[in-house]
Amino acid sequence: NVIVTEEWLLSDSQVRNVGFTRADYEEIFAKYLGATNTIWLNKGIVGDDTHGHVDDITRFVAPGKIVTVVESDKKDANYSLLQDNLKRLRAARDAKGKPFEVIELPMPRPVMFEGQRLPASYANFLICNKVVLVPVFNDVADKEALRILQECFPKREVVGIYARDLVWGLGTIHCLTQQEPL
C-alpha cells in the first residue's frame, strides 16, 4: 500500500513527471516499491509549499492502521479538504480488500508568519527505533495529538518537540530528517 495526493503527483501547479497519469504512477509504485495498491487523496494542507506531500496529512502507523489529520473548525480552509481525504481513506481498501482502521488526529490552530500560513501538522512526526518524535506548537491540541499517537505506538515513547519556530522553514520533524540515515 502507498498513499499519495493528486495535488502532489497530478496537479499542474508543480509538474513532477510530464505526461504521467494515475495509471503510470501506480505501475511505477507496483514495479519499484512492490505497492500494488495506491490510495489517492486529494490535497495536502493549506500552507504546504510541497503541493501535497502526504507526510503532513496521513501516515501508516501499523499494518492496516492509518492516522490522518482532521480540522474541527468548519470555517478553516483545511476543513473541507481534510474531510474529503478522510472520506477517501474510509472508503479505501488494502491490497487484500480489507478496510483500514482510520484514526483521526487533530490539527493545531493556524500558525502564521508574516501573513503566511505555515504547514503546522502533528502528522509530520518521525518514527525511530524506540521513540516517535512529534512536532508540537504550544497549542491546545498538542496534548490530544500526543495521546492519540501514544496509543498508535504503544511500544515507543512519544515525545513532543516544540516546532513552532521550526515550521517557519515550511516543515517540521519528518521533513527535517527525511534525508538523514537513522
Side-chain angles (χ1 to χ4, degrees), residues 39-66:
I39 301 164
W40 288 91
L41 302 181
N42 185 13
K43 292 184 176 187
I45 58 174
V46 176
D48 176 12
D49 67 318
T50 66
H51 301 284
H53 278 193
V54 78
D55 64 347
D56 271 337
I57 55 173
T58 304
R59 307 281 300 277
F60 288 107
V61 292
K65 191 183 281 192
I66 297 170

Side-chain angles (χ1 to χ4, degrees), residues 41 58 68-70 80-92 102-104:
L41 302 181
T58 304
T68 192
V69 292
V70 294
S80 58
L81 65 94
L82 293 176
Q83 285 298 308
D84 180 59
N85 288 342
L86 180 62
K87 182 180 176 182
R88 290 176 187 220
L89 287 168
R90 287 185 174 151
V102 180
I103 300 159
E104 296 180 24

Side-chain angles (χ1 to χ4, degrees), residues 70-83 107-110 117:
V70 294
E71 175 56 60
S72 60
D73 181 357
K74 292 182 179 181
K75 295 177 184 173
D76 189 282
N78 280 317
Y79 180 81
S80 58
L81 65 94
L82 293 176
Q83 285 298 308
M107 283 287 289
R109 291 173 302 211
R117 185 165 184 170

